[in-house]
Amino acid sequence: MCGIFGAIGKKCNVSPEAVFQLLKHRGPDDRGFYKDEQLLLAHVRLSIVDLSSGGHQPMFSADGNFVLVFNGEIYNYLELKKELERDFTFNTESDTEVLLCALIKWGMACLNKLNGIFSFAFYNIAEKRLWLCRDQFGVKPLYYFHDDTGFYFASEIKAITAFVHPVGINTEGLYNYLYFMYSPGETAFLDNLYKLPGGHFLEFDLSINQHKVIKYFQLPLAQNVVKLTALEESMRLLESILLKNIELQLNADVPVGFMLSGGLDSSLILAMAKKIQPNTDFTAYTIAASTNFLNEGFSDDVHFAKLVCRHLGVRHKIIENDNFEMEDIDQLIYHLEEPQADISSFLVGRIAQQARQDGVFVLMSGAGGDDFFSGYRRHQAIYYQKTLGWWPGSFVMLKYISACLGKNSSINRRLNKFLKSFSSDGRQLNLASLYGWIDFDQLKSLLNDALILDQWIDHPIRLYETEFQNLPAENTLNKLLYLDSKYFLPDHNLNYNDKLSMAHGVELRVPLVNMDLANFTANLSVEFKMKAGETKFILKKLAEKYLPEKVVYRSKTGFGGPVRSWFDKPNGEKFLDLLDSNKHYFNKIFNVEKLRNLYDLNLKGEVDASYTLLGVLFVESCLRQFYFNAGELKINS
């Protein structure tokens, strides 16, 4: 688990030492670079497998013609190594050498042989041909930028923007961040800056200075074919897949710990790990919930996490968390790099920081369970909409109940979001409400006219709507799961998990995100994913073998923070002060008066705009650091 960087072009004037300073948090154990007249490759290393100098990168082939810089882990490298030993002599115990040999033997055809999380650059020196590759699900980030000066790529945006300023602002990307609280797909917030999508590789021919992006993996789509497989048989297959994958991911030459919310996914992973290695002294980390968390509908994770740890006999470390302040935003964004207004990223950073201090350099996460098995409220909304459709006047009754509830109650907010998720008669799905956080017309009014100019920006939800309509699956839930796995999972959840864990030199592994599990859920009857409104039905039935029933069937609350109460004093007053601050760039990006008005409406409870306001703060910090002041980034640490 590391950081990579590359620059192509004779005009690219990049110091390897500057790159090392920008990415050193991702790889505190080693560093190296390769350079010729056209190409620079740089690497920083976090040693997880084969801690010796044999894992040093860039790694060269025996004949010196191929070079590799690699960020990630190949979990099935020992299996691949046995197959490759007929053609290669191995000098190290690292997965990097296995990947290098696999690429030499099979080329890009090896990518779907890899069970792992990865982004890497592989260069054929003689042919002057470079390949950039990202894992099937986009667990590991990879950005690239190109203009007349050259082509750059890196694990993190800051390692690119430090060398390419000035560039333009991508207005579409800003709309996406403020509307979705992340930007789905390839779009980022700067012109000519892109995310290489998961399941794709980029081929660059240096001899003609041209590149192309190619898809090598298609996310499987469940077609809702009726399966005759019994629940018990499906559970046995699921258990086998999970146990195998967790066992592979427990392989490390450093201690492995667990992020534990006390929810289904993280608890089941820990329980299965304990079954696989019953004598290993694991540590689980849980974020404590404050009063503000509980008031906004989050449950007390500590209670359930303690129950799990007692049940499994696992060491438990509880981390206090309720101290995220306005002053923390810049440091958070420096590592997050994309303006995702989700305090979950801050919490991941807290856990990773503590784990690193404890000498735990690998953490297991439950990310992915909601996206493949159904776990979000938008998934449940489909079931309840279908059920209520049988009752005449049911939606009218719910609207009346909503009007009687307090505007700021968590129950009313969820009920309102459910009602907005469908047309007035409850028959048609409204994707904009399921995925968006603000009315689009209101969002357009927030941005400065000078920034927008005359660009026509389509509604952000068009990407989702177009793809949703073109999907051949008939079942609505399967369609949403596909969209979540393709966009929400990599561009939101996996992005902040990687950035904030690596900010502290900790590798995050996600056992619920892999090809075997994706193929399994694609061929799973939809009623095994959700049954009578019960999300992750089959996962819960399996978990009954491993966990107390109270944990398996606890209510879903999500992993996040009390954003609404966060804007109470003093942060709300600080927000208003920042709007007038010359040190910030609100007036260059936003209509400040519209922001003040939105803040007042939110304070009065007339609108629920806390996440949008937090998104505004994150966008301003992001652009100030990576756009307006990009030239100063090379001195940051």
Side-chain angles (χ1 to χ4, degrees), residues 234-353:
S234 294
M235 286 170 56
R236 283 194 294 271
L237 179 56
L238 173 59
E239 184 176 29
S240 174
I241 292 171
L242 288 175
L243 287 171
K244 177 184 176 181
N245 202 48
I246 292 170
E247 183 173 19
L248 284 172
Q249 296 196 27
L250 285 171
N251 180 37
D253 294 328
V254 295
V256 177
F258 294 80
M259 292 177 61
L260 180 65
S261 69
L264 174 68
D265 302 332
S266 60
S267 300
L268 181 57
I269 290 170
L270 177 57
M272 287 186 154
K274 195 64 178 175
K275 177 179 180 178
I276 295 165
Q277 296 185 7
N279 297 321
T280 300
D281 191 15
F282 294 123
T283 301
Y285 296 89
T286 303
I287 291 287
S290 68
T291 301
N292 287 338
F293 274 65
L294 301 177
N295 289 342
E296 290 199 18
F298 294 92
S299 68
D300 183 7
D301 284 344
V302 171
H303 169 74
F304 293 99
K306 282 182 176 179
L307 188 62
V308 171
C309 289
R310 284 197 300 267
H311 179 73
L312 299 174
V314 170
R315 184 193 302 118
H316 193 204
K317 183 158 285 192
I318 300 168
I319 303 170
E320 299 297 329
N321 72 311
D322 196 26
N323 62 346
F324 180 66
E325 302 294 344
M326 192 75 72
E327 293 76 16
D328 295 320
I329 288 178
D330 279 355
Q331 185 66 18
L332 178 61
I333 283 294
Y334 179 76
H335 290 297
L336 186 59
E337 300 188 305
E338 297 186 49
Q340 297 176 241
D342 190 337
I343 294 180
S344 300
S345 57
F346 176 74
L347 305 183
V348 169
R350 289 293 305 275
I351 292 174
Q353 183 180 38

Side-chain angles (χ1 to χ4, degrees), residues 368-386 418 421-422 429 434-435 475-485 488 529-530 533-536 556:
D370 292 329
D371 307 86
F372 289 109
F373 288 94
S374 87
Y376 299 123
R377 290 192 179 92
R378 55 179 167 268
H379 301 152
Q380 284 183 306
I382 298 167
Y383 167 79
Y384 289 116
Q385 179 263 346
K386 184 177 180 180
F418 169 73
S421 300
F422 302 92
L429 189 66
L434 281 178
Y435 287 98
N475 183 268
T476 302
L477 176 61
N478 281 334
K479 287 186 175 185
L480 286 192
L481 291 173
Y482 177 87
L483 293 178
D484 285 330
S485 301
F488 185 76
K529 299 171 189 176
M530 183 186 297
E534 186 72 66
T535 58
K536 295 189 278 196
K556 171 76 173 178

Side-chain angles (χ1 to χ4, degrees), residues 530-545:
M530 183 186 297
K531 189 169 185 178
E534 186 72 66
T535 58
K536 295 189 278 196
F537 176 74
I538 190 171
L539 209 58
K540 290 177 179 176
K541 296 302 291 183
L542 174 60
E544 289 177 0
K545 293 177 57 177

Side-chain angles (χ1 to χ4, degrees), residues 172-187:
E172 179 185 357
L174 292 188
Y175 272 121
N176 285 345
Y177 285 116
L178 288 168
Y179 184 78
F180 293 114
M181 297 304 161
Y182 68 100
S183 188
E186 299 176 61
T187 306

Side-chain angles (χ1 to χ4, degrees), residues 169 171 174-175 444-455 586-592 627-628:
I169 294 175
T171 313
L174 292 188
Y175 272 121
K444 286 194 293 185
S445 73
L446 295 182
L447 286 182
N448 192 321
D449 291 340
L451 172 64
I452 300 172
L453 299 176
D454 295 324
Q455 299 179 56
F586 289 101
N587 60 347
K588 290 190 177 184
I589 310 166
F590 299 104
N591 183 320
V592 173
Y627 174 70
F628 295 112

